[in-house]
Amino acid sequence: MNPMTEDDLTQAVLERLTTAQDPRFAQVMASLIKHLHAFIRDVDLQPDEWMAGIQFLTAVGQACDDKRQEFILLSDTLGASMMVVMLDQLRAAAQAKRQGALSATPATEATVQGPYYWEGAPVLPCGADIAPGVKGEPTFYSGRVTDTLGQPIAGATLDIWSGDGEGNYDMQLPGAEMAARARIQTDAEGRYWFWSIKPTYYPVPVDGPVGRMLDGMGRHPNRPGHIHMMVYAPGHVKLTTHLFVANSPYIESDAVFGVRPSLIVDFEQHAAGQAPDGSQQAQPYWSAHYDFRLETQAA
Ligand code: BEZ
Ligand code: FE
């Protein structure tokens, strides 16, 4: 049929999906078309505004290369990445429950991965300093990894990364050598401990179209101080999350909406002296304690 009205137009586009081979693809596209048409009508989009939108998306694509993914940044700053993360975790929890894994306590909440993950971080033993020579205040991190019933998981891997105490990731610095990254395995009782630095807040990249969009929205580009972790073990759902520094600037207004109250950790300040791992610290240091819970993998 040829459309006569705006309603007919939406219907006509939807009808062309009847020949799609993949039903899930057809479902996703049908919803996208309905929402896109509704959005255009809702704001009564003018031709010059539509063209500005096309030029913006073109610029987002052109800003992408092998080191920079402006589309992910767009998704992050619009809250889309976080929505996908939240729904994915809810789905995994519901599936585990259906399969009889009655969670006494829900798994640790997930958050966005961000663009600074670097595969292949060095494998270091518990207790290692994973950020030697990195700018920032020394911090002792410790805790346990358990399942949702509280059973310790021995040999779980924590793949850890953060920026330095000035808010820069190793990838952003000249030379771009790995720093403040490591993979650490839990001991027989599911415990982990290591030294790194106390991360500080930093801005997401703003020298591209997403930066201009944030500016246009009157939004700041900053993320509160956080350290990233991927935590995984056989038989358990891989967790991608952060620990956020309590009271960090921007803790209430993360530019990518990644903060979840359960991930905010009090960093405790200590005078120089003997640290919890028995080491002697010549300068004041911080400590942060956090226990991770992993969902059991559905069969
Ligand atoms: C990050 O935490 O590393 C990050 C996340 C989303 C966008 C930019 C940076
Ligand atoms: Fe980060």
Side-chain angles (χ1 to χ4, degrees):
M1 113 179 148
N2 284 317
M4 307 294 289
T5 66
E6 305 88 86
D7 285 339
D8 291 345
L9 173 61
T10 304
Q11 202 45 41
V13 180
L14 291 173
E15 276 168 18
R16 303 272 170 103
L17 277 172
T18 50
T19 44
Q21 284 166 13
D22 178 343
R24 174 65 178 164
F25 179 67
Q27 182 194 10
V28 171
M29 288 309 295
S31 180
L32 177 67
I33 290 160
K34 282 189 229 163
H35 282 88
L36 181 61
H37 286 209
F39 154 72
I40 292 169
R41 294 174 74 173
D42 183 39
V43 299
D44 190 17
L45 200 70
Q46 313 284 305
D48 58 333
E49 293 169 334
W50 171 77
M51 184 48 79
I54 293 212
Q55 282 166 347
F56 170 73
L57 290 176
T58 305
V60 170
Q62 286 167 341
C64 296
D65 59 25
D66 59 338
K67 296 218 172 56
R68 178 157 181 169
Q69 232 301 354
E70 195 79 357
F71 266 111
I72 295 186
L73 189 58
L74 179 61
S75 161
D76 291 344
T77 51
L78 293 181
S81 305
M82 200 54 203
M83 183 65 84
V84 172
V85 165
M86 285 172 157
L87 294 182
D88 187 52
Q89 205 172 21
L90 283 177
R91 195 181 309 114
Q95 204 175 356
K97 212 162 222 164
R98 270 199 307 277
Q99 307 236 335
L102 289 174
S103 300
T105 319
T108 301
E109 290 188 300
T111 188
V112 292
Q113 178 169 319
Y116 301 123
Y117 177 65
W118 193 341
E119 218 174 304
V123 177
L124 297 178
C126 272
D129 178 1
I130 73 164
V134 171
K135 288 179 185 164
E137 298 170 276
T139 302
F140 180 73
Y141 293 86
S142 65
R144 289 205 319 159
V145 180
T146 69
D147 64 14
T148 51
L149 297 172
Q151 294 303 311
I153 304 177
T157 300
L158 286 88
D159 196 340
I160 306 153
W161 71 105
S162 79
D164 65 17
E166 295 182 350
N168 295 305
Y169 281 82
D170 48 7
M171 290 172 163
Q172 299 173 301
L173 295 169
E177 278 185 24
M178 274 199 186
R181 297 176 189 267
R183 282 174 289 169
I184 287 203
Q185 287 206 326
T186 53
D187 72 4
E189 282 149 64
R191 290 177 304 197
Y192 73 87
W193 65 101
F194 65 92
W195 288 86
S196 186
I197 52 89
K198 183 174 178 235
T200 187
Y201 68 91
Y202 63 84
V204 301
V206 286
D207 56 344
V210 172
R212 292 196 290 281
M213 178 195 77
L214 291 177
D215 206 34
M217 288 175 158
R219 279 172 55 180
H220 74 73
N222 296 297
R223 301 213 63 208
H226 60 272
I227 181 167
H228 297 251
M229 323 255 181
M230 249 177 223
V231 188
Y232 51 91
H236 297 84
V237 177
K238 184 180 193 175
L239 170 73
T240 300
T241 196
H242 309 352
L243 302 182
F244 290 92
V245 181
N247 303 318
S248 169
Y250 308 108
I251 197 78
E252 297 293 341
S253 62
D254 184 2
V256 304
F257 307 95
V259 177
R260 309 183 87 170
S262 68
L263 302 176
I264 300 176
V265 179
D266 284 321
F267 280 55
E268 249 185 79
Q269 198 160 22
H270 306 271
Q274 188 167 13
D277 62 349
S279 65
Q280 283 299 328
Q281 297 300 309
Q283 50 174 319
Y285 65 95
W286 297 84
S287 67
H289 189 85
Y290 197 84
D291 294 333
F292 295 93
R293 286 181 309 277
L294 299 186
E295 194 69 70
T296 303
Q297 189 90 57

mmCIF file of all heavy atoms in Angstrom, residues 247-286:
data_model
loop_
_atom_site.group_PDB
_atom_site.id
_atom_site.type_symbol
_atom_site.label_atom_id
_atom_site.label_comp_id
_atom_site.label_asym_id
_atom_site.label_seq_id
_atom_site.Cartn_x
_atom_site.Cartn_y
_atom_site.Cartn_z
ATOM 1 N N ASN A 247 32.146 10.020 48.321
ATOM 2 C CA ASN A 247 32.405 11.470 48.429
ATOM 3 C C ASN A 247 33.236 12.035 47.292
ATOM 4 O O ASN A 247 33.660 13.187 47.362
ATOM 5 C CB ASN A 247 33.092 11.824 49.762
ATOM 6 C CG ASN A 247 32.270 11.349 50.938
ATOM 7 O OD1 ASN A 247 31.051 11.505 50.919
ATOM 8 N ND2 ASN A 247 32.909 10.738 51.920
ATOM 9 N N SER A 248 33.507 11.259 46.265
ATOM 10 C CA SER A 248 34.230 11.812 45.120
ATOM 11 C C SER A 248 33.367 12.888 44.471
ATOM 12 O O SER A 248 32.142 12.768 44.423
ATOM 13 C CB SER A 248 34.486 10.705 44.086
ATOM 14 O OG SER A 248 34.954 11.261 42.881
ATOM 15 N N PRO A 249 33.993 13.955 43.932
ATOM 16 C CA PRO A 249 33.204 14.884 43.128
ATOM 17 C C PRO A 249 32.479 14.090 42.021
ATOM 18 O O PRO A 249 33.027 13.110 41.512
ATOM 19 C CB PRO A 249 34.264 15.818 42.522
ATOM 20 C CG PRO A 249 35.440 15.713 43.436
ATOM 21 C CD PRO A 249 35.419 14.319 43.999
ATOM 22 N N TYR A 250 31.296 14.493 41.710
ATOM 23 C CA TYR A 250 30.464 13.906 40.633
ATOM 24 C C TYR A 250 29.857 12.552 40.993
ATOM 25 O O TYR A 250 29.302 11.878 40.131
ATOM 26 C CB TYR A 250 31.237 13.819 39.299
ATOM 27 C CG TYR A 250 31.854 15.136 38.924
ATOM 28 C CD1 TYR A 250 33.233 15.321 39.003
ATOM 29 C CD2 TYR A 250 31.059 16.209 38.535
ATOM 30 C CE1 TYR A 250 33.802 16.551 38.699
ATOM 31 C CE2 TYR A 250 31.626 17.443 38.231
ATOM 32 C CZ TYR A 250 32.988 17.602 38.321
ATOM 33 O OH TYR A 250 33.545 18.818 38.024
ATOM 34 N N ILE A 251 29.941 12.140 42.256
ATOM 35 C CA ILE A 251 29.366 10.843 42.624
ATOM 36 C C ILE A 251 27.840 10.856 42.421
ATOM 37 O O ILE A 251 27.219 9.806 42.212
ATOM 38 C CB ILE A 251 29.746 10.448 44.087
ATOM 39 C CG1 ILE A 251 29.515 8.974 44.347
ATOM 40 C CG2 ILE A 251 29.040 11.299 45.119
ATOM 41 C CD1 ILE A 251 30.543 8.050 43.811
ATOM 42 N N GLU A 252 27.244 12.020 42.447
ATOM 43 C CA GLU A 252 25.782 12.122 42.261
ATOM 44 C C GLU A 252 25.396 12.430 40.813
ATOM 45 O O GLU A 252 24.219 12.593 40.513
ATOM 46 C CB GLU A 252 25.205 13.238 43.159
ATOM 47 C CG GLU A 252 25.358 13.010 44.644
ATOM 48 C CD GLU A 252 24.526 11.846 45.151
ATOM 49 O OE1 GLU A 252 23.579 11.457 44.464
ATOM 50 O OE2 GLU A 252 24.863 11.317 46.224
ATOM 51 N N SER A 253 26.408 12.586 39.927
ATOM 52 C CA SER A 253 26.036 13.033 38.574
ATOM 53 C C SER A 253 26.993 12.473 37.518
ATOM 54 O O SER A 253 27.399 13.183 36.602
ATOM 55 C CB SER A 253 26.038 14.568 38.515
ATOM 56 O OG SER A 253 27.348 15.078 38.786
ATOM 57 N N ASP A 254 27.340 11.205 37.664
ATOM 58 C CA ASP A 254 28.225 10.522 36.706
ATOM 59 C C ASP A 254 27.755 10.790 35.264
ATOM 60 O O ASP A 254 26.577 10.581 34.947
ATOM 61 C CB ASP A 254 28.172 9.018 37.016
ATOM 62 C CG ASP A 254 29.112 8.191 36.153
ATOM 63 O OD1 ASP A 254 29.840 8.770 35.324
ATOM 64 O OD2 ASP A 254 29.105 6.948 36.322
ATOM 65 N N ALA A 255 28.677 11.214 34.407
ATOM 66 C CA ALA A 255 28.313 11.549 33.019
ATOM 67 C C ALA A 255 27.759 10.352 32.257
ATOM 68 O O ALA A 255 27.075 10.534 31.245
ATOM 69 C CB ALA A 255 29.541 12.099 32.289
ATOM 70 N N VAL A 256 28.053 9.112 32.723
ATOM 71 C CA VAL A 256 27.557 7.934 31.998
ATOM 72 C C VAL A 256 26.562 7.113 32.840
ATOM 73 O O VAL A 256 26.236 5.985 32.492
ATOM 74 C CB VAL A 256 28.722 7.053 31.468
ATOM 75 C CG1 VAL A 256 29.648 7.879 30.603
ATOM 76 C CG2 VAL A 256 29.484 6.368 32.579
ATOM 77 N N PHE A 257 26.094 7.681 33.949
ATOM 78 C CA PHE A 257 25.026 7.084 34.765
ATOM 79 C C PHE A 257 25.410 5.716 35.333
ATOM 80 O O PHE A 257 24.550 4.863 35.552
ATOM 81 C CB PHE A 257 23.720 6.977 33.945
ATOM 82 C CG PHE A 257 23.325 8.299 33.325
ATOM 83 C CD1 PHE A 257 23.696 8.608 32.021
ATOM 84 C CD2 PHE A 257 22.644 9.249 34.060
ATOM 85 C CE1 PHE A 257 23.373 9.840 31.450
ATOM 86 C CE2 PHE A 257 22.318 10.489 33.504
ATOM 87 C CZ PHE A 257 22.681 10.783 32.205
ATOM 88 N N GLY A 258 26.728 5.507 35.558
ATOM 89 C CA GLY A 258 27.195 4.178 35.969
ATOM 90 C C GLY A 258 27.164 3.937 37.467
ATOM 91 O O GLY A 258 27.334 2.800 37.910
ATOM 92 N N VAL A 259 26.956 4.990 38.276
ATOM 93 C CA VAL A 259 27.035 4.800 39.730
ATOM 94 C C VAL A 259 25.804 4.050 40.234
ATOM 95 O O VAL A 259 24.678 4.372 39.879
ATOM 96 C CB VAL A 259 27.114 6.155 40.472
ATOM 97 C CG1 VAL A 259 27.111 5.946 41.980
ATOM 98 C CG2 VAL A 259 28.360 6.926 40.049
ATOM 99 N N ARG A 260 26.052 3.031 41.059
ATOM 100 C CA ARG A 260 24.966 2.348 41.758
ATOM 101 C C ARG A 260 25.351 2.408 43.230
ATOM 102 O O ARG A 260 26.512 2.118 43.583
ATOM 103 C CB ARG A 260 24.839 0.908 41.253
ATOM 104 C CG ARG A 260 24.765 0.886 39.727
ATOM 105 C CD ARG A 260 24.570 -0.480 39.158
ATOM 106 N NE ARG A 260 23.168 -0.797 39.101
ATOM 107 C CZ ARG A 260 22.667 -1.870 38.471
ATOM 108 N NH1 ARG A 260 23.477 -2.711 37.871
ATOM 109 N NH2 ARG A 260 21.379 -2.096 38.458
ATOM 110 N N PRO A 261 24.415 2.792 44.090
ATOM 111 C CA PRO A 261 24.770 2.997 45.496
ATOM 112 C C PRO A 261 25.534 1.819 46.103
ATOM 113 O O PRO A 261 26.437 2.013 46.923
ATOM 114 C CB PRO A 261 23.414 3.211 46.174
ATOM 115 C CG PRO A 261 22.552 3.790 45.085
ATOM 116 C CD PRO A 261 23.019 3.138 43.797
ATOM 117 N N SER A 262 25.192 0.588 45.677
ATOM 118 C CA SER A 262 25.853 -0.583 46.271
ATOM 119 C C SER A 262 27.330 -0.678 45.896
ATOM 120 O O SER A 262 28.062 -1.486 46.463
ATOM 121 C CB SER A 262 25.144 -1.865 45.827
ATOM 122 O OG SER A 262 25.354 -2.067 44.435
ATOM 123 N N LEU A 263 27.774 0.127 44.946
ATOM 124 C CA LEU A 263 29.180 0.064 44.495
ATOM 125 C C LEU A 263 30.019 1.203 45.079
ATOM 126 O O LEU A 263 31.200 1.341 44.743
ATOM 127 C CB LEU A 263 29.251 0.114 42.956
ATOM 128 C CG LEU A 263 28.488 -0.993 42.210
ATOM 129 C CD1 LEU A 263 28.568 -0.773 40.702
ATOM 130 C CD2 LEU A 263 29.048 -2.381 42.576
ATOM 131 N N ILE A 264 29.408 2.030 45.928
ATOM 132 C CA ILE A 264 30.153 3.157 46.522
ATOM 133 C C ILE A 264 30.854 2.654 47.781
ATOM 134 O O ILE A 264 30.227 2.044 48.650
ATOM 135 C CB ILE A 264 29.212 4.331 46.845
ATOM 136 C CG1 ILE A 264 28.537 4.830 45.568
ATOM 137 C CG2 ILE A 264 29.974 5.451 47.529
ATOM 138 C CD1 ILE A 264 27.511 5.928 45.780
ATOM 139 N N VAL A 265 32.159 2.894 47.851
ATOM 140 C CA VAL A 265 32.975 2.347 48.934
ATOM 141 C C VAL A 265 33.633 3.488 49.708
ATOM 142 O O VAL A 265 34.175 4.422 49.110
ATOM 143 C CB VAL A 265 34.082 1.425 48.354
ATOM 144 C CG1 VAL A 265 34.967 0.872 49.459
ATOM 145 C CG2 VAL A 265 33.449 0.281 47.564
ATOM 146 N N ASP A 266 33.596 3.367 51.032
ATOM 147 C CA ASP A 266 34.329 4.339 51.869
ATOM 148 C C ASP A 266 35.807 4.003 51.815
ATOM 149 O O ASP A 266 36.196 2.894 52.186
ATOM 150 C CB ASP A 266 33.856 4.234 53.328
ATOM 151 C CG ASP A 266 32.511 4.895 53.512
ATOM 152 O OD1 ASP A 266 32.290 5.953 52.897
ATOM 153 O OD2 ASP A 266 31.680 4.335 54.247
ATOM 154 N N PHE A 267 36.607 4.919 51.355
ATOM 155 C CA PHE A 267 38.057 4.734 51.391
ATOM 156 C C PHE A 267 38.533 5.309 52.723
ATOM 157 O O PHE A 267 38.290 6.478 53.023
ATOM 158 C CB PHE A 267 38.728 5.457 50.204
ATOM 159 C CG PHE A 267 38.646 4.692 48.906
ATOM 160 C CD1 PHE A 267 37.429 4.274 48.384
ATOM 161 C CD2 PHE A 267 39.811 4.377 48.197
ATOM 162 C CE1 PHE A 267 37.351 3.558 47.186
ATOM 163 C CE2 PHE A 267 39.756 3.659 47.001
ATOM 164 C CZ PHE A 267 38.519 3.245 46.496
ATOM 165 N N GLU A 268 39.197 4.445 53.513
ATOM 166 C CA GLU A 268 39.637 4.872 54.856
ATOM 167 C C GLU A 268 41.069 5.365 54.800
ATOM 168 O O GLU A 268 41.923 4.712 54.177
ATOM 169 C CB GLU A 268 39.609 3.648 55.781
ATOM 170 C CG GLU A 268 38.542 3.705 56.833
ATOM 171 C CD GLU A 268 38.692 2.517 57.767
ATOM 172 O OE1 GLU A 268 39.560 2.565 58.657
ATOM 173 O OE2 GLU A 268 37.958 1.535 57.543
ATOM 174 N N GLN A 269 41.324 6.468 55.477
ATOM 175 C CA GLN A 269 42.685 7.029 55.462
ATOM 176 C C GLN A 269 43.482 6.497 56.667
ATOM 177 O O GLN A 269 42.918 6.367 57.755
ATOM 178 C CB GLN A 269 42.595 8.541 55.544
ATOM 179 C CG GLN A 269 43.867 9.221 55.110
ATOM 180 C CD GLN A 269 43.642 10.667 54.737
ATOM 181 O OE1 GLN A 269 42.652 11.278 55.162
ATOM 182 N NE2 GLN A 269 44.544 11.225 53.962
ATOM 183 N N HIS A 270 44.755 6.197 56.453
ATOM 184 C CA HIS A 270 45.607 5.669 57.528
ATOM 185 C C HIS A 270 46.913 6.434 57.566
ATOM 186 O O HIS A 270 47.441 6.856 56.513
ATOM 187 C CB HIS A 270 45.957 4.191 57.294
ATOM 188 C CG HIS A 270 44.760 3.320 57.092
ATOM 189 N ND1 HIS A 270 44.097 2.714 58.130
ATOM 190 C CD2 HIS A 270 44.086 2.975 55.973
ATOM 191 C CE1 HIS A 270 43.073 2.017 57.656
ATOM 192 N NE2 HIS A 270 43.045 2.171 56.336
ATOM 193 N N ALA A 271 47.455 6.561 58.781
ATOM 194 C CA ALA A 271 48.793 7.151 58.922
ATOM 195 C C ALA A 271 49.831 6.126 58.445
ATOM 196 O O ALA A 271 49.520 4.926 58.353
ATOM 197 C CB ALA A 271 49.039 7.499 60.386
ATOM 198 N N ALA A 272 51.052 6.600 58.183
ATOM 199 C CA ALA A 272 52.146 5.680 57.841
ATOM 200 C C ALA A 272 52.295 4.650 58.959
ATOM 201 O O ALA A 272 52.003 4.943 60.116
ATOM 202 C CB ALA A 272 53.432 6.471 57.657
ATOM 203 N N GLY A 273 52.738 3.434 58.596
ATOM 204 C CA GLY A 273 52.901 2.402 59.620
ATOM 205 C C GLY A 273 52.569 1.045 59.043
ATOM 206 O O GLY A 273 52.590 0.857 57.818
ATOM 207 N N GLN A 274 52.206 0.130 59.944
ATOM 208 C CA GLN A 274 51.955 -1.244 59.475
ATOM 209 C C GLN A 274 50.571 -1.347 58.819
ATOM 210 O O GLN A 274 49.561 -0.968 59.410
ATOM 211 C CB GLN A 274 52.048 -2.220 60.639
ATOM 212 C CG GLN A 274 51.993 -3.642 60.131
ATOM 213 C CD GLN A 274 52.382 -4.660 61.193
ATOM 214 O OE1 GLN A 274 52.467 -4.349 62.372
ATOM 215 N NE2 GLN A 274 52.606 -5.881 60.765
ATOM 216 N N ALA A 275 50.552 -1.875 57.604
ATOM 217 C CA ALA A 275 49.305 -2.006 56.837
ATOM 218 C C ALA A 275 48.666 -3.367 57.133
ATOM 219 O O ALA A 275 49.321 -4.246 57.717
ATOM 220 C CB ALA A 275 49.612 -1.869 55.352
ATOM 221 N N PRO A 276 47.410 -3.582 56.739
ATOM 222 C CA PRO A 276 46.723 -4.858 57.046
ATOM 223 C C PRO A 276 47.454 -6.085 56.507
ATOM 224 O O PRO A 276 47.286 -7.190 57.026
ATOM 225 C CB PRO A 276 45.359 -4.691 56.359
ATOM 226 C CG PRO A 276 45.166 -3.228 56.217
ATOM 227 C CD PRO A 276 46.526 -2.611 56.085
ATOM 228 N N ASP A 277 48.262 -5.949 55.458
ATOM 229 C CA ASP A 277 48.982 -7.120 54.934
ATOM 230 C C ASP A 277 50.330 -7.305 55.640
ATOM 231 O O ASP A 277 51.131 -8.137 55.220
ATOM 232 C CB ASP A 277 49.181 -7.010 53.417
ATOM 233 C CG ASP A 277 50.031 -5.816 53.021
ATOM 234 O OD1 ASP A 277 50.294 -4.943 53.891
ATOM 235 O OD2 ASP A 277 50.447 -5.751 51.852
ATOM 236 N N GLY A 278 50.572 -6.511 56.703
ATOM 237 C CA GLY A 278 51.812 -6.654 57.465
ATOM 238 C C GLY A 278 52.946 -5.806 56.923
ATOM 239 O O GLY A 278 54.000 -5.693 57.562
ATOM 240 N N SER A 279 52.760 -5.195 55.756
ATOM 241 C CA SER A 279 53.846 -4.386 55.176
ATOM 242 C C SER A 279 53.963 -3.063 55.938
ATOM 243 O O SER A 279 52.992 -2.599 56.541
ATOM 244 C CB SER A 279 53.576 -4.120 53.689
ATOM 245 O OG SER A 279 52.421 -3.313 53.551
ATOM 246 N N GLN A 280 55.170 -2.495 55.918
ATOM 247 C CA GLN A 280 55.403 -1.203 56.555
ATOM 248 C C GLN A 280 55.235 -0.115 55.510
ATOM 249 O O GLN A 280 55.936 -0.130 54.490
ATOM 250 C CB GLN A 280 56.823 -1.136 57.154
ATOM 251 C CG GLN A 280 56.987 -1.881 58.457
ATOM 252 C CD GLN A 280 56.094 -1.346 59.587
ATOM 253 O OE1 GLN A 280 55.805 -0.144 59.648
ATOM 254 N NE2 GLN A 280 55.642 -2.235 60.451
ATOM 255 N N GLN A 281 54.346 0.825 55.728
ATOM 256 C CA GLN A 281 54.128 1.913 54.769
ATOM 257 C C GLN A 281 54.817 3.173 55.282
ATOM 258 O O GLN A 281 54.535 3.632 56.397
ATOM 259 C CB GLN A 281 52.622 2.157 54.580
ATOM 260 C CG GLN A 281 51.893 0.968 53.990
ATOM 261 C CD GLN A 281 52.430 0.594 52.608
ATOM 262 O OE1 GLN A 281 52.543 1.437 51.725
ATOM 263 N NE2 GLN A 281 52.767 -0.676 52.424
ATOM 264 N N ALA A 282 55.694 3.716 54.441
ATOM 265 C CA ALA A 282 56.468 4.888 54.849
ATOM 266 C C ALA A 282 55.634 6.163 54.735
ATOM 267 O O ALA A 282 56.016 7.210 55.266
ATOM 268 C CB ALA A 282 57.720 4.994 53.975
ATOM 269 N N GLN A 283 54.531 6.098 53.995
ATOM 270 C CA GLN A 283 53.696 7.299 53.857
ATOM 271 C C GLN A 283 52.236 6.941 54.154
ATOM 272 O O GLN A 283 51.875 5.759 54.129
ATOM 273 C CB GLN A 283 53.851 7.880 52.456
ATOM 274 C CG GLN A 283 53.674 6.861 51.359
ATOM 275 C CD GLN A 283 53.692 7.491 49.970
ATOM 276 O OE1 GLN A 283 53.125 8.553 49.750
ATOM 277 N NE2 GLN A 283 54.344 6.824 49.033
ATOM 278 N N PRO A 284 51.406 7.960 54.428
ATOM 279 C CA PRO A 284 49.993 7.667 54.681
ATOM 280 C C PRO A 284 49.386 6.928 53.490
ATOM 281 O O PRO A 284 49.847 7.089 52.364
ATOM 282 C CB PRO A 284 49.361 9.052 54.842
ATOM 283 C CG PRO A 284 50.488 9.971 55.123
ATOM 284 C CD PRO A 284 51.703 9.396 54.465
ATOM 285 N N TYR A 285 48.381 6.136 53.736
ATOM 286 C CA TYR A 285 47.761 5.369 52.656
ATOM 287 C C TYR A 285 46.266 5.241 52.921
ATOM 288 O O TYR A 285 45.781 5.607 53.996
ATOM 289 C CB TYR A 285 48.425 3.985 52.543
ATOM 290 C CG TYR A 285 48.209 3.107 53.746
ATOM 291 C CD1 TYR A 285 47.175 2.180 53.776
ATOM 292 C CD2 TYR A 285 49.021 3.227 54.874
ATOM 293 C CE1 TYR A 285 46.948 1.387 54.891
ATOM 294 C CE2 TYR A 285 48.793 2.447 55.996
ATOM 295 C CZ TYR A 285 47.766 1.533 55.999
ATOM 296 O OH TYR A 285 47.532 0.771 57.114
ATOM 297 N N TRP A 286 45.560 4.747 51.936
ATOM 298 C CA TRP A 286 44.121 4.522 52.054
ATOM 299 C C TRP A 286 43.854 3.025 52.014
ATOM 300 O O TRP A 286 44.702 2.260 51.533
ATOM 301 C CB TRP A 286 43.378 5.161 50.881
ATOM 302 C CG TRP A 286 43.501 6.651 50.795
ATOM 303 C CD1 TRP A 286 44.520 7.341 50.221
ATOM 304 C CD2 TRP A 286 42.581 7.616 51.300
ATOM 305 N NE1 TRP A 286 44.296 8.698 50.318
ATOM 306 C CE2 TRP A 286 43.099 8.892 50.974
ATOM 307 C CE3 TRP A 286 41.363 7.552 51.975
ATOM 308 C CZ2 TRP A 286 42.450 10.075 51.322
ATOM 309 C CZ3 TRP A 286 40.708 8.723 52.312
ATOM 310 C CH2 TRP A 286 41.250 9.970 51.993
#
